[in-house]
Amino acid sequence: MEDAWRKAKRALGLGLCVHVPEAEEGEREDCSSERRRRLPAAASGARCRGEAAVTVGPDSVPAPSDVPVPLPLPGVVRRSKSGSSRSSSKRKCAICFDSMRHGNGQALFTAECSHMFHFHCISSNVKHGNYFCPICRAKWKEIPFNRSLSSNIPHGRIGVSRARLTQQDANMALLHQVPNHHQRVRRPHTSEPADFNDDEPLQQPEVFDNLNVRSTKTAEINTYPEFSTIPQSSSKDDFAILIHLKAPSANPDQGTGKLANESSAGSSRNRAPVDLVTVLDVSGSMAGTKLALLKRAMGFVVQHLGPSDRLSVIAFSSSARRLFHLQRISHHGRQQALQAINSLGASGGTNIADALKKAMKVIEDRSYKNSVCSIILLSDGQDTYNISSSVQGASPDYKSLVPSSIINDARHTVPLHAFGFGADHDSDSLHSIAQASGGTFSFIEDEGVMQDAFAQCIGGLLSIVIQEMRVSMECVHPGVQLSSIKSGSYPSKVARDGRNGSVDIGHLYADEERDILLSVNIPQSRHQTSALKVSCAYRDPVTGETIKIQGDEVKINRPTTSNISEHVSIEVDRERNRIQAAESIECARAAAEKGALSEAVAILEDCRRTLSQSFASRSGDRLSLSLDAELREMQERMANRQLYESSGRAYMLSGLSSHSWQRATARGDSTDSSTVIYSYQTPSMVEMLQHSQNHLPSPQDRQRPRPR
């Protein structure tokens, strides 16, 4: 027994501090002075300098009385007489987010920067070549090492000091020396399979009654004609009718904003499970704070996925690699995912095309499929391998970045949500990729809001209540004709005879709303005119049931004389304003890309003037007023070419993405809350966003992403 502790004692001479169970109060008083006298100089120096330490739980072999026990280092928790931790009950490992308590059989590692982690978590980081603190990014001189992984470390480059600390952690040791900047670290390479059909099987669904799982609410359809009356003697071409859709609310037990392990047992069961592939840029430009914030944001995502959800991560720089297969986020899967994410390092170029190809392969090769599937892409740079223009001055071919399976998927079954980070990312390419897939593009100008931006997106993905929605409209009166449909980026079609049409909405988040503006031709009539009827059909992603809803007919009264005092429907006028603003943003962007910034500013100014004269704006409509603030901010971001290149373009593209899909995106640095409009943000997004802001180290330094 004493031999084991003498070995540990010798390790102190190498700067290793081993914490052992503390003696009882009386015994401690008797021997404390003796221990101080016998404390080796190297250990005393380690105590003063705050070097790395491993703390072992009370299940370890007890220490003989002659073994010196150094005073605890900063961040090292000592055991009380009862054997419980004095302050570690509130401590959580920054890698796996599990509690760090003594007595649970897990060794703890305290770095020289005083931050503490589970030893097996931090040693996984070292295995992948990371020698920086995941919290403060300080470079370590002494790093944890697991002897079972020693085959991955080049011999002669890293000196190893080993000490047998406990029966359970007999392989633990500290790497006393790390490679310098001029040495090349050989990282372990795991060959990928030819096919990615190694995804983990789905969680077995519980046997339940569909009546108990099905939401008590269904989607709502409301229609608003431009005017409620048209004189008998008048006919109206391009008469506007608004179709307003609203998705049902989330199940009350769903709890999207809770940590997965805090949610109720029914939380994941009562919502549609998700297959999520995140594609993360780890090129050289992401080194430092950016990568640390990315890891933290991904940690938030992992913590809020449930055991029915599955996740795979693609990391890319000059090439792409799959960190792990599509696996369920069970307790074990969560630990593996967090460790893999925290092992990431930054280097190399930016190859977005290779990354997306690999992400789609993960999805296409799946042996099993959850009902919801999506991709999240984040990049802070430009693809340096695949973007080229065949003609000088021509626009780059961004389609070369998008896998053909995404381009050919007209139903947008796998939307890709892209996040552009910082001033140097290629917003044009990311917007094009997202648009082609049916996803959104978000602009993260301030690195501090990355987690919030991810949280808002995840809040939506974890609350999908509608899939494959199609809205149909049919003219009733024989003289009524449908002339056009304005539905943004959602595919629409009008029959040749103008008697019917349809719009493919696809999926909707809980409580999400959509507006569709129709133009119809109304003939003269002596009687009330039944203009058209609207219906929709969609699939419930939880039960798989197809639900059909029939809306009320749109009827127009036909008085003998016109009602001069009648105002236009504020719902119709509001939607007209939104569409006009989106069209003006597109025209202004086109002018700015040609270098005509003054022309672009003038286009937006004309639109602002028109909006201010609308009935909705004069009535104080919140959306119409916020559109003016949005256009004004875009004008400010086009004050000069440099400002437009650094933030104006990305801000405008994110706004266009938001308006075209009528879905919230993160935009800019989000500091001016007076201009924020939450018309596209859903309650589930708000809940997840609040949860993100409430679980951050320095909430006073946080800023909120701007949804549109």
Side-chain angles (χ1 to χ4, degrees):
M1 183 72 72
E2 291 192 8
D3 288 341
W5 281 107
R6 291 185 188 281
K7 292 180 181 179
K9 178 179 176 181
R10 284 196 296 271
L12 293 173
L14 299 175
L16 171 64
C17 178
V18 181
H19 283 254
V20 297
E22 204 170 59
E24 295 298 329
E25 197 70 32
E27 182 184 352
R28 182 170 62 246
E29 293 175 358
D30 295 337
C31 65
S32 58
S33 59
E34 176 66 18
R35 290 181 179 181
R36 290 192 187 98
R37 286 196 300 270
R38 302 186 60 159
L39 183 65
S44 300
R47 179 185 64 213
C48 298
R49 292 190 303 270
E51 294 187 356
V54 175
T55 303
V56 184
D59 294 335
S60 310
V61 179
S65 60
D66 64 337
V67 176
V69 180
L71 296 177
L73 304 178
V76 176
V77 180
R78 299 190 65 177
R79 295 179 60 247
S80 64
K81 290 174 62 176
S82 62
S84 61
S85 171
R86 293 177 181 172
S87 60
S88 65
S89 59
K90 295 184 179 179
R91 290 178 177 270
K92 290 188 176 182
C93 174
I95 297 177
C96 70
F97 294 96
D98 273 356
S99 175
M100 294 188 295
R101 299 189 182 190
H102 293 277
N104 63 354
Q106 296 193 62
L108 305 179
F109 172 76
T110 302
E112 56 209 79
C113 60
S114 298
H115 290 124
M116 181 183 288
F117 312 91
H118 288 128
F119 188 89
H120 67 87
C121 293
I122 203 66
S123 62
S124 177
N125 272 24
V126 175
K127 170 188 173 183
H128 290 85
N130 284 328
Y131 310 113
F132 293 87
C133 175
I135 297 177
C136 67
R137 306 305 299 162
K139 187 171 183 179
W140 292 335
K141 297 178 181 178
E142 296 183 348
I143 55 179
F145 180 60
N146 190 312
R147 191 162 74 180
S148 63
L149 306 176
S150 60
S151 59
N152 295 324
I153 306 298
H155 292 290
R157 297 196 178 179
I158 301 178
V160 180
S161 171
R162 299 184 178 92
R164 185 174 299 274
L165 302 178
T166 68
Q167 291 180 338
Q168 182 178 358
D169 299 300
N171 291 327
M172 295 190 310
L174 291 178
L175 289 180
H176 194 68
Q177 181 183 358
V178 296
N180 59 39
H181 294 291
H182 303 289
Q183 290 177 318
R184 184 174 180 180
V185 180
R186 185 172 70 239
R187 298 185 179 182
H189 174 72
T190 303
S191 59
E192 293 178 341
D195 296 315
F196 289 165
N197 57 359
D198 54 351
D199 53 309
E200 185 174 358
L202 307 181
Q203 185 179 42
Q204 291 298 320
E206 297 183 25
V207 179
F208 50 79
D209 185 355
N210 278 359
L211 294 176
N212 294 330
V213 176
R214 184 192 307 167
S215 173
T216 56
K217 296 182 179 180
T218 57
E220 300 174 7
I221 303 178
N222 290 295
T223 52
Y224 302 91
E226 181 179 0
F227 296 100
S228 61
T229 62
I230 298 176
Q232 294 179 2
S233 59
S234 299
S235 61
K236 285 282 187 180
D237 290 340
D238 295 326
F239 181 80
I241 298 176
L242 177 71
I243 300 175
H244 180 76
L245 306 168
K246 185 175 182 180
S249 300
N251 190 301
D253 296 330
Q254 190 164 310
T256 56
K258 296 180 180 179
L259 288 171
N261 53 8
E262 294 175 356
S263 302
S264 61
S267 301
S268 57
R269 184 179 70 241
N270 293 338
R271 67 166 172 82
V274 177
D275 281 349
L276 178 64
V277 179
T278 58
V279 183
L280 309 178
D281 186 343
V282 292
S283 59
S285 58
M286 285 291 293
T289 304
K290 287 184 178 181
L291 186 61
L293 291 172
L294 173 59
K295 292 178 180 180
R296 186 179 70 183
M298 276 302 302
F300 180 88
V301 171
V302 172
Q303 288 295 331
H304 287 80
L305 296 176
S308 297
D309 303 312
R310 299 191 300 173
L311 174 70
S312 181
V313 175
I314 306 295
F316 72 95
S317 52
S318 301
S319 60
R321 61 189 175 99
R322 187 185 67 162
L323 293 190
F324 51 86
H325 67 288
L326 192 63
Q327 64 182 22
R328 291 198 302 110
I329 305 302
S330 57
H331 178 74
H332 176 68
R334 180 173 292 108
Q335 305 307 311
Q336 285 190 327
L338 291 171
Q339 291 182 20
I341 291 167
N342 276 284
S343 72
L344 288 172
S347 63
T350 305
N351 193 335
I352 296 176
D354 189 36
L356 294 183
K357 185 184 299 183
K358 192 150 291 186
M360 283 306 299
K361 183 172 177 60
V362 170
I363 292 171
E364 293 169 348
D365 290 358
R366 289 176 297 171
S367 299
Y368 312 91
K369 294 182 179 181
N370 269 326
S371 56
V372 175
C373 183
S374 187
I375 298 174
I376 289 179
L377 165 66
L378 180 135
S379 177
D380 76 329
Q382 304 179 15
D383 190 297
T384 53
Y385 291 85
N386 304 280
I387 296 297
S388 61
S389 300
S390 56
V391 180
Q392 187 174 5
S395 299
D397 180 19
Y398 293 124
K399 284 188 177 181
S400 63
L401 300 178
V402 187
S404 58
S405 54
I406 290 181
I407 296 176
N408 298 329
D409 181 12
R411 295 169 58 192
H412 301 318
T413 54
V414 185
L416 184 152
H417 299 284
F419 294 81
F421 187 27
D424 298 325
H425 75 276
D426 189 347
S427 55
D428 277 318
S429 67
L430 294 180
H431 176 263
S432 298
I433 292 168
Q435 196 72 12
S437 69
T440 57
F441 166 66
S442 290
F443 168 40
I444 305 175
E445 184 175 22
D446 185 341
E447 59 189 21
V449 301
M450 185 191 298
Q451 178 173 304
D452 287 350
F454 275 26
Q456 181 173 264
C457 181
I458 290 297
L461 293 176
L462 298 183
S463 67
I464 290 180
V465 293
I466 284 177
Q467 287 183 316
E468 302 172 13
M469 171 180 268
R470 168 169 286 190
V471 181
S472 302
M473 57 286 306
E474 181 180 353
C475 298
V476 178
H477 188 282
V480 174
Q481 282 190 319
L482 177 63
S483 58
S484 68
I485 300 174
K486 291 187 177 181
S487 55
S489 293
Y490 295 102
S492 64
K493 61 173 92 167
V494 178
R496 289 185 178 180
D497 59 3
R499 295 293 295 166
N500 58 73
S502 64
V503 180
D504 290 326
I505 298 295
H507 67 277
L508 289 179
Y509 304 153
D511 296 295
E512 206 166 29
E513 302 177 43
R514 294 291 180 270
D515 288 321
I516 303 169
L517 193 62
L518 311 179
S519 292
V520 298
N521 300 328
I522 306 291
Q524 296 179 356
S525 177
R526 292 179 176 272
H527 306 286
Q528 184 185 60
T529 303
S530 293
L532 52 80
K533 57 184 179 181
V534 181
S535 62
C536 75
Y538 63 88
R539 186 172 67 87
D540 185 320
V542 177
T543 65
E545 179 184 10
T546 298
I547 298 175
K548 298 181 179 180
I549 300 174
Q550 183 68 51
D552 297 331
E553 288 187 3
V554 180
K555 297 181 178 181
I556 309 297
N557 294 322
R558 310 303 297 264
T560 55
T561 58
S562 61
N563 184 0
I564 301 177
S565 62
E566 183 179 11
H567 293 291
V568 65
S569 164
I570 195 170
E571 289 84 6
V572 171
D573 203 43
R574 177 192 300 128
E575 180 62 10
R576 279 176 170 165
N577 287 346
R578 193 188 67 81
I579 292 173
Q580 184 172 1
E583 291 174 347
S584 296
I585 294 171
E586 182 60 60
C587 292
R589 191 183 77 90
E593 292 300 321
K594 296 177 182 178
L597 290 179
S598 58
E599 179 186 345
V601 171
I603 291 172
L604 298 182
E605 187 63 30
D606 288 342
C607 181
R608 291 179 61 191
R609 187 180 304 109
T610 302
L611 295 184
S612 67
Q613 298 170 357
S614 68
F615 173 69
S617 294
R618 288 186 282 109
S619 301
D621 177 64
R622 185 167 175 256
L623 172 61
S624 299
L625 295 176
S626 70
L627 288 172
D628 179 75
E630 177 184 5
L631 297 175
R632 183 177 66 248
E633 182 162 354
M634 290 181 179
Q635 288 177 307
E636 294 173 356
R637 290 175 182 262
M638 289 191 291
N640 55 66
R641 191 69 194 175
Q642 181 180 1
L643 185 57
Y644 176 74
E645 294 282 353
S646 63
S647 69
R649 177 188 291 119
Y651 189 90
M652 296 181 79
L653 287 172
S654 181
L656 286 172
S657 176
S658 186
H659 286 307
S660 68
W661 298 110
Q662 299 181 51
R663 178 160 284 161
T665 62
R667 216 186 308 185
D669 58 9
S670 311
T671 57
D672 187 1
S673 59
S674 63
T675 64
V676 175
I677 174 65
Y678 299 102
S679 57
Y680 298 144
Q681 202 174 47
T682 68
S684 297
M685 289 179 172
V686 172
E687 182 183 3
M688 191 69 79
L689 185 55
Q690 290 173 344
H691 196 69
S692 169
Q693 294 170 344
N694 292 336
H695 288 74
L696 288 168
S698 302
Q700 68 273 16
D701 297 331
R702 304 281 302 157
Q703 295 172 333
R704 186 172 189 163
R706 178 169 304 165
R708 294 284 180 182

